[in-house]
Amino acid sequence: MDYTRDNMAGLLRSHDINPTHQRIEIAHALFSRQEHLSADQVMAIVNTRHSETSKATVYNTLKLFLEKGLVREVIVDPSKVFFDPNTSPHHHLYEVDSGKLSDIDAEHVEISGLPPLPAGMVTEGIDLIVRVRRTS
Amino acid sequence: MDYTRDNMAGLLRSHDINPTHQRIEIAHALFSRQEHLSADQVMAIVNTRHSETSKATVYNTLKLFLEKGLVREVIVDPSKVFFDPNTSPHHHLYEVDSGKLSDIDAEHVEISGLPPLPAGMVTEGIDLIVRVRRTS
DNA sequence: CAGCAATCTGGACTTTGTCTAATATTCGGA
DNA sequence: TCCGAATATTAGACAAAGTCCAGATTGCTG
């Protein structure tokens, strides 16, 4: 699988998203890098040559991708949200100093002993974040 | 143990924090409630009668408490940070709709199979957040 | 009481994100 | 292809959380 803009259009359609020019660019930014990006970073990437996509559209689009399950939101930094093109179950490793965020495959990780949920509640997701720091 | 202002002064001293009037009030707000509070909420509580403590002081103080290990930071909501007076190991249950945050005792929870850390890294903490939603 | 360090303060500022009303684009049907 | 309706995009004003700074206060200590 490679992340051409054409393939992005297909990906968007398959998620019931109208593939406009801006949405394709934003999807391309996220998926071709396979990295966690903040809204700011997405905007910077998409507008490298000459400003093409507005701030409002970047935020709208990321929110749309989120609703449609195309990306996942990662909340680790109090000052900004990251968007993760990897939606398969996995956890995160966060380097506190540098702000670097990487994936931990969920395959071998097991979480046991969680108490039952309060009645009338469903789990929307379990976020496991390992915060690390460089030994100094 | 009860959370009189006098006891707060002792708590602060034992954590190497100079117990000023404002710091005692802020500690009292957090510890007498034993709840997760945002900076905003702390400010509202402390300034109920007549404004007594400035925004800058609330933020400075919470940051200081954090450094001295008196409280813990909980990052679950992209728009604000919560401060948790419970520093014993535990996890969190977050109700997405209402924003309600509660503790999950860590005693019976076990997390296994985490990969080894990258060289030169130490764990600063492991945050486990169960995001739940009301069935509708 | 004077001097000094630590603390507190208002308010300006920054950053992330939201909102709105006008404009532009896209899509499906004839 | 052309048209109208629905959908997207935009600039820029706005909001909220948090930071920063320089001056004022506090409270020691000699």
Side-chain angles (χ1 to χ4, degrees):
Chain A
M1 171 64 165
D2 66 326
Y3 300 98
T4 62
R5 284 170 175 77
D6 273 6
N7 285 345
M8 288 304 100
L11 180 67
L12 295 180
R13 270 191 215 95
S14 75
H15 282 257
D16 199 23
I17 298 171
N18 207 335
T20 65
H21 177 58
Q22 288 89 337
R23 289 171 180 174
I24 289 170
E25 285 305 311
I26 292 171
H28 182 74
L30 280 160
F31 286 91
S32 69
R33 279 174 189 71
Q34 289 287 27
E35 259 174 35
H36 309 81
L37 299 177
S38 65
D40 244 32
Q41 292 174 305
V42 169
M43 195 147 72
I45 292 169
V46 166
N47 291 335
T48 29
R49 302 177 169 283
H50 21 73
S51 193
E52 285 165 352
T53 303
S54 72
K55 186 168 61 149
T57 298
V58 170
Y59 278 97
N60 287 344
T61 301
L62 289 171
K63 197 194 274 183
L64 179 69
F65 284 5
L66 195 61
E67 281 164 10
K68 299 294 187 177
L70 201 64
V71 301
R72 194 169 131 176
E73 207 178 22
V74 185
I75 302 169
V76 283
D77 184 307
S79 74
K80 63 180 69 163
V81 172
F82 287 97
F83 293 88
D84 187 347
N86 176 1
T87 54
S88 70
H90 68 278
H91 306 299
H92 290 104
L93 185 84
Y94 186 59
E95 285 183 38
V96 175
D97 325 288
S98 67
K100 231 186 84 195
L101 184 61
S102 49
D103 285 354
I104 297 174
D105 199 332
E107 205 178 344
H108 301 102
V109 179
E110 201 179 320
I111 300 166
S112 60
L114 283 176
L117 293 189
M121 293 286 172
V122 253
T123 302
E124 195 171 90
I126 295 185
D127 293 359
L128 178 62
I129 297 149
V130 180
R131 271 165 222 281
V132 299
R133 199 166 25 82
R134 198 162 281 286
T135 50
S136 48
Chain B
M1 171 66 164
D2 65 326
Y3 300 97
T4 62
R5 285 169 174 76
D6 272 7
N7 286 345
M8 288 303 102
L11 180 66
L12 294 181
R13 270 190 217 94
S14 74
H15 282 258
D16 199 25
I17 297 171
N18 205 337
T20 65
H21 177 58
Q22 289 89 336
R23 288 171 181 175
I24 288 171
E25 285 305 311
I26 291 172
H28 182 73
L30 280 160
F31 285 91
S32 69
R33 277 171 190 73
Q34 289 287 28
E35 261 174 32
H36 309 84
L37 299 177
S38 65
D40 245 32
Q41 292 175 303
V42 169
M43 196 148 71
I45 292 168
V46 166
N47 290 336
T48 28
R49 303 178 167 281
H50 21 73
S51 192
E52 284 165 353
T53 303
S54 71
K55 186 167 62 150
T57 298
V58 170
Y59 278 97
N60 288 342
T61 301
L62 289 171
K63 196 193 275 184
L64 179 69
F65 284 5
L66 195 62
E67 281 163 13
K68 299 293 189 179
L70 200 64
V71 300
R72 194 168 132 177
E73 208 178 20
V74 186
I75 303 170
V76 283
D77 185 308
S79 75
K80 62 182 68 161
V81 172
F82 287 97
F83 293 88
D84 186 348
N86 176 0
T87 53
S88 70
H90 68 280
H91 306 299
H92 290 104
L93 185 83
Y94 186 58
E95 285 182 38
V96 174
D97 325 287
S98 67
K100 232 187 84 195
L101 184 61
S102 51
D103 285 355
I104 297 175
D105 199 331
E107 205 177 342
H108 301 101
V109 179
E110 200 179 321
I111 300 167
S112 60
L114 283 175
L117 294 189
M121 293 286 173
V122 255
T123 302
E124 195 170 89
I126 295 185
D127 293 359
L128 178 62
I129 297 148
V130 180
R131 270 165 223 282
V132 300
R133 197 166 27 81
R134 199 162 281 286
T135 50
S136 49

